[in-house]
């Protein structure tokens, strides 16, 4: 009985010793950063129609959008990424009138350095200010860009992509976005 107890104590001790991270090891555990939390992305945007430009609301637009959401910071496996998910709105100015976007915004950023690449995608509705029934549209917008970190809470971004809007007609825009990101609990 005494021998069995000694064997169990030995196995228990070696199991805990093997589970420890060796000193000087560069291997990083996959964890969530405790600094995950609220983030805001506010951008000025411009779009130039590249397809379906003969219909109203299809030649060009400019305006601003703002997204508020949650940024999840992920570290590990020699990666340093974050995923932003939020809801946004704004105001877009067309020659024919104004549209108000309401959308879901996703952004994926990796290589947390001073200058870092990102991909974005957002989709939602464009509500007509003049005539809600005829001017309301669906849209999908995807693209990529770079983000330049100013400090631990702020970053500037510049991106480009394609925006497809669908309603009574379809139109495609090449769009450019320039903005600022704010992270409440640091990047």
């Amino acid at each position: 009985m005494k021998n069995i107890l000694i064997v169990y104590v030995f196995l228990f001790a070696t199991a805990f010793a093997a589970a420890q991270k060796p000193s000087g090891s560069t291997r990083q555990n996959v964890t969530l950063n405790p600094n995950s939390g609220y983030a805001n992305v506010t951008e000025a945007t411009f779009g130039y129609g590249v397809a379906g430009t003969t219909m109203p609301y299809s030649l060009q637009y400019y305006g601003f959008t703002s997204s508020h959401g949650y940024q999840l910071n992920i570290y590990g496996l020699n990666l340093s990424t974050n995923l932003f998910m939020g809801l946004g709105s704004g105001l877009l100015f067309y020659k024919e009138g104004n549209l108000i976007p309401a959308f879901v915004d996703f952004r994926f950023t990796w290589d947390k350095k001073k200058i870092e690449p990102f991909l974005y995608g957002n989709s939602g509705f464009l509500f007509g200010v003049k005539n809600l029934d005829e001017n309301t549209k669906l849209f999908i917008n995807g693209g990529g860009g770079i983000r330049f970190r100013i400090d631990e809470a702020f970053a500037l971004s510049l991106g480009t992509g394609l925006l497809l809007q669908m309603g009574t007609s379809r139109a495609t825009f090449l769009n450019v976005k320039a903005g600022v990101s704010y992270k409440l609990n640091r990047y």
Side-chain angles (χ1 to χ4, degrees), residues 33-42 66-73 83-87 147 152-154 180-187:
N33 183 355
N35 291 333
S36 295
Y38 170 80
N40 168 267
V41 179
T42 301
S66 182
S67 301
H68 302 267
Y70 190 84
Q71 181 173 305
L72 181 66
N73 295 329
L83 176 67
F84 171 79
M85 298 169 284
L87 298 175
R147 187 166 74 172
E152 293 297 320
F154 289 95
V180 63
S181 302
Y182 171 72
K183 176 75 176 63
L184 185 63
N185 294 329
R186 302 182 183 176
Y187 282 102

Side-chain angles (χ1 to χ4, degrees), residues 26-30 74-81 111-112:
T26 59
R27 185 174 174 201
Q28 188 177 17
N29 296 328
V30 176
I74 305 167
Y75 297 101
L77 303 175
N78 293 328
L79 294 175
S80 181
T81 64
D111 288 340
K112 299 198 51 154

Side-chain angles (χ1 to χ4, degrees), residues 119-184:
L119 297 174
Y120 71 88
N122 43 36
S123 180
F125 296 96
L126 295 168
F127 296 104
V129 175
K130 290 181 182 176
N131 188 344
L132 189 62
D133 291 338
E134 291 182 15
N135 295 336
T136 299
K137 305 173 182 304
L138 293 170
F139 79 93
I140 299 172
N141 185 12
I146 57 169
R147 187 166 74 172
F148 178 75
R149 287 195 313 157
I150 298 171
D151 63 16
E152 293 297 320
F154 289 95
L156 297 175
S157 63
L158 180 64
T160 186
L162 284 176
L163 182 138
L164 172 65
Q165 69 182 27
M166 302 156 283
T168 55
S169 63
R170 288 187 184 174
T172 304
F173 296 89
L174 177 63
N175 68 334
V176 176
K177 298 180 173 196
V180 63
S181 302
Y182 171 72
K183 176 75 176 63
L184 185 63

